[in-house]
Amino acid sequence: MNFCTICATANKFQEFRGRSAEQCTRCGSLERQRAIFLFLTMKNCLKNIGTDDFDKRILHFAPEPMLFNAFSNNGKNRNYRCFDYSPGSYGFTGNFIGRHDLADMEGTKKLPPADIIIHNHVLEHIPADFAETIQALNSLLVPGGIQAFTIPIRPGKFDEDLSPSLSDDERRQRFYQEDHVRIFGTDDAVPMMQSIMKTDKVVFRLNEHISPELAAAYGLTTTYKADRIDSVCSNTVFYYIKPL
């Protein structure tokens, strides 16, 4: 039996794209979403979530339904804002979602201040300097605010190609998906993020906080195994906390 960190439901997670015990059968969450939710919970960012007192200023890019419901408090948290380059794809958000292009750095810097900024598997889509995107988002954080994100990672080194002439087949071969412009690697993702965010503490290590048995119950085994060997995976939570 598994337990979802987001919907707080005990259920047997189902297979998803060849990954066993990956998807919560109630809310549909995947490992990376449960990992980021657990991280924010452990950082005491989600106090009073699910109540009318939860009013954290949140910027959420490419929102997932289960996280949207939790962070927006089912539409009651008016300080929650979500965005995507193609907002028409997110009908479940109602009027909450706005259009935003994260390749537009000046536009990003004009977004409202935030306590929490979240994005899961978004950076690989941005046809611009992703380091500038991270830094622009960090500039929006209030003191003590957190940016948390996950990125697709494979064994080896970082690879990127912003050329618009690259074919879909070439993108799928190099980056696993035709709308990706980059993919991150286990060899250099951590030092790369440390350099961008100018701090050594950029990775949330599950094995420092929970047991392998609890990780399995939460459906976070892949992340836990990577953390235990000081590596990273596509569910690893990277983060930045703005100094007070």
Side-chain angles (χ1 to χ4, degrees):
M1 186 62 66
N2 300 107
F3 185 83
C4 181
T5 61
I6 301 174
C7 69
T9 300
N11 61 94
K12 185 175 176 58
F13 293 169
Q14 64 186 7
E15 178 269 342
F16 182 83
R17 294 182 179 176
R19 305 189 295 271
S20 62
E22 168 74 13
Q23 187 173 45
C24 173
T25 54
R26 181 172 186 265
C27 72
S29 69
L30 304 178
E31 181 164 350
R32 61 178 179 259
Q33 294 139 10
R34 292 191 296 273
I36 213 163
F37 195 88
L38 181 62
F39 162 76
L40 291 170
T41 300
M42 289 189 165
K43 289 296 182 181
N44 201 30
C45 296
L46 303 182
K47 185 179 179 181
N48 297 323
I49 194 167
T51 74
D52 291 343
D53 293 326
F54 184 71
D55 58 358
K56 289 287 188 182
R57 292 166 292 182
I58 299 174
L59 300 181
H60 188 182
F61 298 90
E64 304 94 326
M66 72 296 299
L67 292 179
F68 170 85
N69 290 335
F71 295 138
S72 71
N73 196 13
N74 294 307
K76 296 177 184 177
N77 179 11
R78 293 293 164 177
N79 289 324
Y80 170 85
R81 302 281 300 277
C82 59
F83 302 92
D84 193 79
Y85 185 78
S86 302
S89 305
Y90 296 83
F92 62 86
T93 64
N95 296 322
F96 263 77
I97 194 164
R99 185 184 186 280
H100 183 73
D101 183 359
L102 282 171
D104 176 7
M105 305 306 166
E106 293 307 311
T108 296
K109 292 175 183 177
K110 294 176 182 177
L111 291 174
D115 299 299
I116 303 170
I117 296 174
I118 310 157
H119 47 96
N120 278 308
H121 287 225
V122 169
L123 293 178
E124 67 273 20
H125 295 273
I126 302 170
D129 186 340
F130 76 92
E132 290 187 10
T133 298
I134 292 173
Q135 292 165 347
L137 291 173
N138 281 344
S139 73
L140 301 173
L141 294 170
V142 300
I146 291 180
Q147 178 177 183
F149 58 91
T150 60
I151 50 178
I153 294 178
R154 69 179 176 193
K157 296 185 181 297
F158 175 78
D159 186 23
E160 176 183 78
D161 194 327
L162 302 182
S163 171
S165 64
L166 200 66
S167 71
D168 287 351
D169 284 343
E170 288 174 304
R171 291 196 184 280
R172 280 191 289 267
Q173 183 177 4
R174 288 178 61 181
F175 311 130
Y176 294 166
Q177 202 163 302
E178 61 271 13
D179 58 347
H180 289 183
V181 299
R182 62 181 60 87
I183 192 162
F184 299 85
T186 54
D187 292 354
D188 50 15
V190 173
M192 185 179 292
M193 294 303 174
Q194 289 172 330
S195 176
I196 292 169
M197 297 191 277
K198 297 178 172 56
T199 175
D200 290 338
K201 294 185 178 297
V202 297
V203 177
F204 176 63
R205 295 295 185 190
L206 274 177
N207 63 311
E208 297 176 0
H209 301 277
I210 62 176
S211 67
E213 292 78 16
L214 194 54
Y218 288 160
L220 300 174
T221 299
T222 302
T223 313
Y224 189 92
K225 287 180 177 178
D227 289 340
R228 192 170 55 190
I229 60 173
D230 202 31
S231 185
V232 287
C233 68
S234 295
N235 309 309
T236 295
V237 177
F238 291 86
Y239 72 95
Y240 172 82
I241 301 178
K242 191 160 189 175
L244 294 171

